[in-house]
Structures are given as structure tokens and as C-alpha cells.
Amino acid sequence: MKSAWIDLRGTAAELATAIIEESTHIGVETVVLDDPELAAKVPPNVQKAAVVTGETPTTLIDRLVDVVDILIADHSIAEKFEGIRPDLRSGVLIKVLDEQSLDLACRIANEAELTLVEFRQDPSKIPLEILLAAADKAKGSIVTVVTDVEDAATTIGVLERGSDAVLLAPKRVGDATELVQVTRGEAASLEMEELEIVQLTHLGLGDRVCVDTCSHLRPNEGILVGSYSTGLVLVSSETHPLPYMPTRPFRVNAAALSSYTLTPGNRTQYLSELHCGSEILAVSTDGSVRTVVVGRIKMESRPMLRIEARTRSGQLVDMVGQDDWHVRALGPGGSVHNFTELRPGDVILGHTMTDQRHVGYAIREFLHEQ
């Protein structure tokens, strides 16, 4: 999980106070400010940081040093503030504008306890990639200035590592909440449960959906699908050998178009709602989760098979998928089970949820599915 930092420098007092109140309750780690009086409004569970440059008045620096937890100084003056207060954490600010300043940032990031990096507005993330690669074994933290929540989401995913934290100057109440949601990402894992097959029914023709992602899916990875929102089956990616055709490691031959699947933010969506650019969760047999982007969905009429299974506690899990050998469910230990070879008593993997769903959101009300 990454850290969310909020920049309140230059923010109107009324808006800044509201954002501090918002930040207190949602998990913002650090607030950057330039007003010592505003620091008194920041509760102890949120760190206070100040950024100083050669243009910052000495009188203001003296006041900020007394009230903040972290003092970040421009690289050109950072040495002046070493040991200025025993319990004060230190950081270095570097603005990356060209190759020379990028080289300097790489050196600083390998030495400093905390490096705050501001990149020139540029459509490329290559400078950040170079910085992260150069500081891969560094013990310090890298905080990157971002322009908006979308930029934050991209920044924390660069090189599958991203910055340790992102700093955003919110324009309104709510921006901090969205930033925290992005930095928290998805749960590291889901609890996978063993499901025992109890009945198989050949249903005849129906519309099934193949989900083609923009990612290379792994042999023990697929997506969770099901007819009921409270129980889903883990269906394999097409990474295992197939007769008559090549493997397609980006694809999951998922289920009927009316089936649910899991998406980021603990939401469900019908397969029929997915489209190019949608985000879904790829899930492994060990329960690890990652967000992948849909490249397209492919819906065609095919013979369909209903799979009914139960958890050890007796909860019913039901799904409808294509009635064909090359469509597969995943089982314990990464075992692969062709749909047409499933038999009552076989064990596959799935995931159950307690909340019912309304337009994909978890709700706590009476709702019956059958």
C-alpha cells in the first residue's frame, strides 16, 4: 500500500481546514503546509511536513521547524538543516527538468531518508522509471508530486513498484478521499474456498463471454464468475495447452453474459457490462489479487453448462459457462479441471461473500437469488 500526501500550501484557509478534517478520517499520512497556525488544526495521527527553498523567509522557517514532523529542503540548501531539531525527520526536494537534474535525483534518492520529486510536466513516465530503477535498493522513501488522482494511479504503478507516496494539491473536498482510495489499491488477497461439485446440467444454447485482458495471465490465475453475487467460481485463463488452437494467455473464457465478476473497490459487474477499458480483478489460486484492464469482450452463442457446487459450510455457488472441454476451472494447488470432465464430488476453488449487491455495490438488505 502506498501513502497519500496532501499539499495545502497556498490553499485558502477555509478549504484547507475542511480538507484537514477530511484527511483525519480517511487515512491521509502526511499534510504539507506553509502556515504554522494551520499546523495546530492537524491531529496527531496525521504527519505535518514543510517544504523550504532558498526563497522561504528565515522567520517562517523558524516557526515551521517548531510545529512540523518533517522538514523537506531544496537540494541546494538541504545541508543547512541537518540536525536542526533532534526529532525532526529530514527530506530533500529535487525538481527534475532535464537529464542533469535526473542524475542528481537518482543520487539523492540513494542517500536521503526522504526524497520529494517534482517532474516537469511531461507525458512520459520514463524519468520516473529511471529514478525508481536507480534507487531500487535505497532505504529511503520517494514521494512524487502528481497533478491529479489519475496521475497518482499511474505513478504508483510505474515499474510495478511506483513511488512510495504521492503528493497531491487538492482542489476540492473529496480529492483527498479519492487519492487515498487509489493508494490503498485492492486487498492483497481474497480467501479462496474449496467448492464440491454437486450437480452438472447441460442447458443448451446461450450467450457466453470471453474476457480478453491487456495482461499476460498466469497458469494459476483467472477471474471469479458466478450466477449469484454471494458465490463465485475461479475460471482459468487460457494459458494451458489446447488441442487444435494456440493458447491465449490474455483470455478467460468466463461464463454466461448474466454472470457476475469482481471489479476494484469491492464491486461486482455483469460480464455483459464489461467493455474495452473496464477494470476487473485477476485472482490466483493462492488468493492473490491484481487489477487488469479489459481489452475487449467477445460474446458468442454456445452450448452452456450449469455447475452447482457447495462450500464446506453448505453455501450454494452456482455458475453457467460454455459446455466445452477447453473451458476450465481451477482447483486446490493450481489443479486444472476441464468443464466437460467435471463430476459430482470434484473439488474446485471459489470465493463467497456475505453482502448482497445492488448495481454492483455491497448492500445490507434482504435479497434472494435462485
Side-chain angles (χ1 to χ4, degrees), residues 112-123:
E113 176 186 359
L114 186 151
T115 306
L116 176 61
V117 189
E118 183 176 348
F119 291 95
R120 181 182 64 186
Q121 294 301 310
D122 194 305

Side-chain angles (χ1 to χ4, degrees), residues 20 23-30 41-48 69:
I20 289 173
S23 301
T24 301
H25 302 290
I26 60 171
V28 166
E29 180 182 281
T30 305
K41 299 181 180 180
V42 180
N45 65 311
V46 179
Q47 293 185 122
K48 300 178 287 289
D69 305 298

Side-chain angles (χ1 to χ4, degrees), residues 1-5 115-133 142-168 179 182-184:
M1 187 172 70
K2 306 299 183 180
S3 297
W5 287 38
T115 306
L116 176 61
V117 189
E118 183 176 348
F119 291 95
R120 181 182 64 186
Q121 294 301 310
D122 194 305
S124 174
K125 292 297 182 186
I126 290 177
L128 176 58
E129 291 180 6
I130 293 172
L131 174 62
L132 292 175
I142 296 175
V143 183
T144 301
V145 177
V146 295
T147 55
D148 51 35
V149 173
E150 184 177 353
D151 186 28
T154 302
T155 297
I156 63 178
V158 170
L159 292 187
E160 297 187 21
R161 169 195 162 183
S163 294
D164 300 295
V166 284
L167 173 63
L168 173 69
L179 182 69
V182 166
T183 56
R184 284 180 174 172

